[in-house]
Amino acid sequence: MMRAIARYGVRTIPGDEKEIVAAFRRGEAVEGAAIKEFENRFAEFHGVRHAISASFGRMAFYYILRALELPPESEIIFPALTFWVVPEIARRAGLKPVFVDVDARTFNLDPTRIEAAITERTRAIVPTHLYGQPCRMSEIMRVAETHNLIVVEDCAQAAGARYRGRRVGTFGDAAFFSFQMLKGINTYGGGMALTNDSSIAAKVRAQAEAEPQQTTSELIKRFSLGIAARSLVSPKGFAWWGYPIGAAASLAGDRDLSKYFWERIRPLDRFPLAYRRRFSNAQAIIGLRALDRLDEFNERSRAHAQIYARGLAGCPSIETPYAIPEVEHVYYQYCIYVSDPCRTRRRAIRRGVDFETTHVDVCSALPLFKQFAAACPQAEQTAEALQLPVYSRLRTSDVERVLKVVLEVSADLAPLHKKAGASVSEQELVAPAANAMRAN
């Protein structure tokens, strides 16, 4: 049978299931000492004073916003390209999202566009370190300091990444991380707030600890569904369902079925019950194991990215990712531009290789935020990007096969016109991205 390669992979460590079962047998699945240990180790890993666990990364963000005690209707600047739930959490907290365009080559918030969006009601900036690449934090912090703005970093896709030697999450007043199944640290759900501010930390912790504990049955369901989903995106599992379904759908036109698997975009006027829960001890146990291996896993993804960068260099129909100087990109996604992305994706899935088309949202154009709509053409341009499988669980032979498929399916495509209008000069950017990375 063909070894099919899914667009996503789940980071796990052999023995995780045994640790989970052992926690249940000891009666320590819900509560236990591992939660505090994981929080302390996470803070130490980042060189920050406080880390507070939460049910979701989005809830960690919600607690941070409430801890800041901003005036109602305060304006919060977000990149136009981000996961919809993050600005929706701000709206739910009584604040007003303001969308600023991104740089289409880096996919991150464009610092040169922030000042034009600042008004007398602006109170904070939320830079998203998207797809594993750190934002240009020196410039963002300079703008924030000039205008006395709070900075809360969205590190959901960039755990372990560094900008100028410092890990993301350590630049602003606070930061939040996600431990959902596909993230850099996988605890089958959960998140973390990070801050050096003792007042913010105390207020965040009070909110998180006021939530009810997960029940044993909720935890069993969480881990059972997570392990089942992990199996479905394994090469064997994906070969049985994802590949044949995706290949059949490709014959019917440009049909990407992934939208049926993502959380529905909707107002969060009432939080689902799962949001109002506490992080569990069993999740913390596997979080500690994942944290120990985070740098190793990230290095594997970088190595995979280097294979793509070398193999695709000079391909006229493809533009490989850019990374800003002095970053350690962790490649949550490896994003390329192709002259015909639809044809490329259809051809690839028929060969057993699945590409992602849209992983986050152009929030400035979503009906959910129509009252906050803004013209963000660079963000809209990013919808043309394809994301190649780059996750750490891939074998080197898998990555080489993906590369071979990309070259095959793009061989007869027209040359790509490079992305125009980006604010960063060619001298400031380095391509391929791997050449821009520096050791710690």
Side-chain angles (χ1 to χ4, degrees), residues 44-182:
E44 180 182 358
F45 180 81
H46 289 88
V48 171
R49 294 173 61 192
H50 306 284
I52 306 96
S53 57
S55 60
F56 285 83
R58 64 193 69 176
M59 290 306 291
F61 180 48
Y62 180 69
Y63 300 150
I64 289 168
L65 290 178
R66 292 188 63 190
L68 294 173
E69 298 179 348
L70 302 175
E73 295 296 312
S74 291
E75 294 178 356
I76 311 295
I77 290 175
F78 291 92
L81 186 68
T82 191
F83 183 35
W84 68 270
V85 81
V86 180
E88 174 58 13
I89 285 287
R91 189 203 64 79
R92 171 68 167 73
L95 308 171
K96 179 183 177 181
V98 173
F99 296 110
V100 170
D101 211 354
V102 301
D103 184 322
R105 295 184 294 178
T106 66
F107 299 91
N108 279 338
L109 180 65
D110 185 344
T112 67
R113 300 176 187 268
I114 295 175
E115 287 196 286
I118 294 173
T119 72
E120 61 181 13
R121 300 183 67 85
T122 307
R123 295 292 181 271
I125 306 171
V126 182
T128 303
H129 303 295
L130 198 63
Y131 299 144
Q133 170 156 234
C135 294
R136 293 155 61 194
M137 290 307 298
S138 293
E139 296 167 64
I140 291 172
M141 294 306 298
R142 193 177 305 126
V143 173
E145 290 163 7
T146 299
H147 296 275
N148 194 30
L149 301 178
I150 294 164
V151 174
V152 180
E153 296 174 67
D154 179 350
C155 306
Q157 298 185 359
R162 289 185 176 93
Y163 174 79
R164 296 186 175 177
R166 288 176 58 181
R167 294 193 190 273
V168 298
T170 66
F171 292 86
D173 300 86
F176 61 98
F177 294 75
S178 173
F179 304 142
Q180 295 300 102
M181 190 172 64
L182 301 178

Side-chain angles (χ1 to χ4, degrees), residues 1 3 32 73 90 92 107 146 163 185 220 230 282 337 353 400 404:
M1 177 181 291
R3 183 174 168 85
E73 295 296 312
R92 171 68 167 73
F107 299 91
T146 299
Y163 174 79
I185 292 178
I220 291 172
R230 186 187 75 194
Y337 287 105
V353 176
E400 291 171 344
K404 181 174 182 288

Side-chain angles (χ1 to χ4, degrees), residues 298-427:
N298 286 343
E299 184 54 42
R300 287 186 196 172
S301 292
R302 275 194 291 271
H304 296 163
Q306 289 175 2
I307 292 172
Y308 290 145
R310 288 192 298 266
L312 297 175
C315 184
S317 61
I318 294 174
E319 181 179 338
T320 55
Y322 286 97
I324 60 176
E326 301 179 316
V327 303
E328 280 191 22
H329 197 319
V330 297
Y331 291 99
Y332 180 73
Q333 298 282 358
Y334 187 90
C335 298
I336 64 172
Y337 287 105
V338 190
S339 58
D340 192 336
C342 295
R343 181 180 298 180
T344 300
R345 185 180 59 80
R346 290 198 305 269
R347 289 173 167 181
I349 190 59
R350 294 169 194 169
R351 290 165 170 81
V353 176
D354 191 27
F355 297 160
E356 173 65 288
T357 50
T358 303
H359 191 79
V360 291
D361 310 287
V362 181
C363 292
S364 55
L366 289 179
L368 178 63
F369 301 116
K370 61 183 179 181
Q371 69 269 43
F372 311 121
C376 297
Q378 293 280 305
E380 293 174 8
Q381 199 172 66
T382 65
E384 303 169 11
L386 289 180
Q387 286 121 44
L388 311 187
V390 72
Y391 45 90
S392 59
R393 289 182 67 90
L394 291 171
R395 304 172 182 173
T396 300
S397 59
D398 292 331
V399 179
E400 291 171 344
R401 178 160 169 257
V402 173
L403 173 61
K404 181 174 182 288
V405 167
V406 174
L407 292 172
E408 288 175 352
V409 301
S410 63
D412 63 343
L413 299 182
L416 176 74
H417 296 294
K418 300 302 180 183
K419 294 298 156 192
S423 64
V424 186
S425 69
E426 293 290 345
Q427 290 73 32

Side-chain angles (χ1 to χ4, degrees), residues 7-8 245-246 249-250 252-262 342 345-346 349 354-359 383 385-387:
R7 64 183 67 179
Y8 306 118
I245 292 175
S250 75
D254 185 34
R255 294 180 179 270
D256 185 359
L257 303 180
S258 66
K259 64 182 180 180
Y260 298 108
F261 296 93
W262 291 115
C342 295
R345 185 180 59 80
R346 290 198 305 269
I349 190 59
D354 191 27
F355 297 160
E356 173 65 288
T357 50
T358 303
H359 191 79
L386 289 180
Q387 286 121 44

